[in-house]
Amino acid sequence: MVAQVFVAAMRKRRVIETQQGLGICYDAGGTDVEGQPGNSRTLAATNQYRTSQAIVEPKSLTTFLSLRSNLCFLETDWNPTFCQITDSFLAFRFLDKAMIIDNLDASSKPRNPWRLCSLNQVEEVKLVLRLLPIWLSCFMFTAVLAQTHTLFIKQGSTMIRSIGPNFQVPPASFQSLVGLTILFTIPIYDRILVPAARKLTGHRSGVTMLQRIGIGLFLSVIEMVVAALVEAKRVSIAREHGLIDTPKATVPMSVWWILPQYMISGISDVFTVVGLQELFYDQMPESMRSLGAAAHVSVIGVGSFVNTAIITVVQAITARSSGILLGDNLNRAHVDYFYWVLAVLSALNFCVYLWIASGFVYKKVEGEEPQQGKGLDLDM
């Protein structure tokens, strides 16, 4: 379907709506809901990316009747002198050409799906395109999330991990703190935060999906700031005790100092990861929801590659000046500097996300109540 819309738009790239267009194709039937054969829903045209109105002059009433026989319909308020196509798109408006009926479409009995697409198909493609920037803006979040499995563990391995006289906490076991935090945070979120937010915003979910993701992205910035401060404290203690060049020595600092960064990671996971899952399931076309689930999962995988790329770039830059950052000796690796780099990048990414989300318009379906608010809906 995505390919058909792009091909149809390219084939009609020279069609001028106000001169050569005969109307818009409204294919009979909408999007089939997964698991519900025969149940179809039609997407409503959104106001995002829209500008002025365009006037179309049909050739004759015969043309209009011919179009109806092909299951393509003009505006319901059509009259013999003109038909009004409301609001052509500003961004991605070239896709609108895929649903414009020209003379060749009007003279063809069977509709060629590679030349004429319905408004519903075009809107579904735009749904996918609207989600793409959100998908890209979440890579930094998963790059931060990757630290819980790598550098956080390495930090913990150099600190005092004793519980009682005979038990040492394995450093890798601290990853379970993220899961435990999620386990305790979700009931608090559902039973306390959502009802309180619902009273303030009037939204049935308390906050919108994009607001939920944004809260998690903001918390990831806080997580890196906390991690940088804790690491700076660890290095200063190692320096005070003359352990700066003894990487295998245990720094006299309790491992529980890294507990806050693990907990913030778990809380941010509740907001962003769950919010992404909900967004990509709810806002994708029904026939492409499996692709939405795959896109949500792929954020984690691609974010790990982004983290690797950042480390490579940082090491390449620092190797030319003051030595390699993130070396084998953790006490001299300046991991706190790396955390500050991630904090700055995450903050910039958060600003970009706010800009993207502020213009996001939720999916609208004919006959259903639309999502409340637009994008982040900061005025709620």
Side-chain angles (χ1 to χ4, degrees), residues 225-278:
V225 171
V226 171
L229 294 176
V230 171
E231 174 62 13
K233 177 68 174 178
R234 190 195 67 83
V235 172
S236 66
I237 293 176
R239 184 176 291 107
E240 290 174 5
H241 290 79
L243 301 175
I244 201 73
D245 291 316
T246 312
K248 294 184 178 181
T250 299
V251 177
M253 180 179 178
S254 175
V255 75
W256 299 111
W257 276 80
I258 65 174
L259 177 62
Q261 59 204 59
Y262 274 105
M263 293 182 64
I264 296 173
S265 179
I267 296 172
S268 65
D269 196 294
V270 168
F271 284 95
T272 296
V273 175
V274 177
L276 277 173
Q277 186 176 14
E278 185 180 3

Side-chain angles (χ1 to χ4, degrees), residues 135-263:
W135 181 71
L136 293 172
S137 64
C138 291
F139 289 159
M140 271 308 303
F141 171 81
T142 49
V144 170
L145 192 64
Q147 310 314 313
T148 61
H149 313 300
T150 54
L151 290 178
F152 286 6
I153 296 176
K154 200 169 183 180
Q155 269 184 285
S157 65
T158 66
M159 304 165 79
I160 298 175
R161 295 176 282 111
S162 301
I163 298 181
N166 301 316
F167 183 73
Q168 292 276 337
V169 179
S173 66
F174 276 89
Q175 296 178 80
S176 62
L177 293 173
V178 176
L180 291 174
T181 303
I182 294 173
L183 185 64
F184 285 103
T185 302
I186 289 179
I188 295 173
Y189 176 83
D190 288 336
R191 298 297 181 180
I192 299 177
L193 296 180
V194 170
R198 188 182 294 125
K199 292 179 181 179
L200 294 174
T201 64
H203 194 276
R204 56 185 175 84
S205 299
V207 294
T208 64
M209 290 176 283
L210 290 176
Q211 288 171 337
R212 187 171 185 171
I213 296 171
I215 292 171
L217 294 180
F218 176 75
L219 288 176
S220 69
V221 179
I222 302 301
E223 176 189 351
M224 284 296 96
V225 171
V226 171
L229 294 176
V230 171
E231 174 62 13
K233 177 68 174 178
R234 190 195 67 83
V235 172
S236 66
I237 293 176
R239 184 176 291 107
E240 290 174 5
H241 290 79
L243 301 175
I244 201 73
D245 291 316
T246 312
K248 294 184 178 181
T250 299
V251 177
M253 180 179 178
S254 175
V255 75
W256 299 111
W257 276 80
I258 65 174
L259 177 62
Q261 59 204 59
Y262 274 105
M263 293 182 64

Side-chain angles (χ1 to χ4, degrees), residues 24-65:
I24 293 178
C25 175
Y26 288 85
D27 209 342
T31 306
D32 291 336
V33 181
E34 286 184 333
Q36 302 178 25
N39 185 12
S40 61
R41 305 197 302 173
T42 301
L43 294 176
T46 58
N47 292 325
Q48 191 181 23
Y49 311 128
R50 290 181 174 252
T51 53
S52 59
Q53 297 179 337
I55 302 299
V56 178
E57 298 179 356
K59 302 301 181 183
S60 66
L61 182 60
T62 304
T63 302
F64 173 70
L65 296 176

